[in-house]
Amino acid sequence: MGDIDWDGLREVAVEAMRKAYVPYSRFPVGVAAIVDDGRVISGCNVENASYGLTLCAECTLVSTLVMTGGGKLVAFTCVDGDGGALMPCGRCRQLLYEHSAEGMLLETVSGIRTIDEVIPDAFGPRTLAVYHEEREPA
């Protein structure tokens, strides 16, 4: 994949953030990502009075990914209500890892990082693939 238009991707995330449903925290979050087929997808947080049922923006992004044809995420950004960069929580990093292309890039509060830098030694589909490859009969 060529150069990533981080400003344009962030604009998509800001637009998604404006759609967030946050009556309790009043802390809107928007995300946007580029899929390996070139699509740009987005998501926002959706709160619930039972806080544990709140959907992070990354959850809605991955739901959009699956509902619009799947694929692997290659670039990702997350913004707060002011459009500033946010780091996804640990749960969401794992969710992103599950659907990432190897080396997926994230725009973070400390600059551009790979998915492996923000969730080192992660367990996911690639781990399972290696495990099963090593056990396949020759």
Side-chain angles (χ1 to χ4, degrees), residues 7-100:
D7 291 335
L9 194 59
R10 200 172 321 102
E11 286 177 23
V12 173
V14 167
E15 185 59 33
M17 175 271 300
R18 291 185 179 128
K19 297 174 182 172
Y21 176 74
V22 291
Y24 308 105
S25 73
R26 295 182 308 280
F27 191 86
V29 176
V31 296
I34 301 172
V35 181
D36 57 0
D37 64 7
R39 283 178 294 142
V40 175
I41 59 174
S42 62
C44 64
N45 54 330
V46 179
E47 292 183 343
N48 189 285
S50 174
Y51 292 114
L53 298 179
T54 291
L55 298 175
C56 294
E58 293 84 351
C59 294
T60 63
L61 177 106
V62 168
S63 293
T64 298
L65 174 69
V66 171
M67 292 295 296
T68 61
K72 297 294 182 187
L73 304 172
V74 297
F76 171 87
T77 192
C78 181
V79 300
D80 64 18
D82 296 322
L86 281 177
M87 177 61 86
C89 70
R91 172 183 178 258
C92 288
R93 292 180 208 190
Q94 178 66 37
L95 184 63
L96 291 170
Y97 182 80
E98 179 84 11
H99 297 279
S100 68

Side-chain angles (χ1 to χ4, degrees), residues 124-134:
R126 293 186 284 278
T127 309
L128 292 170
V130 169
Y131 177 82
H132 291 293
E133 283 174 18
E134 292 172 353

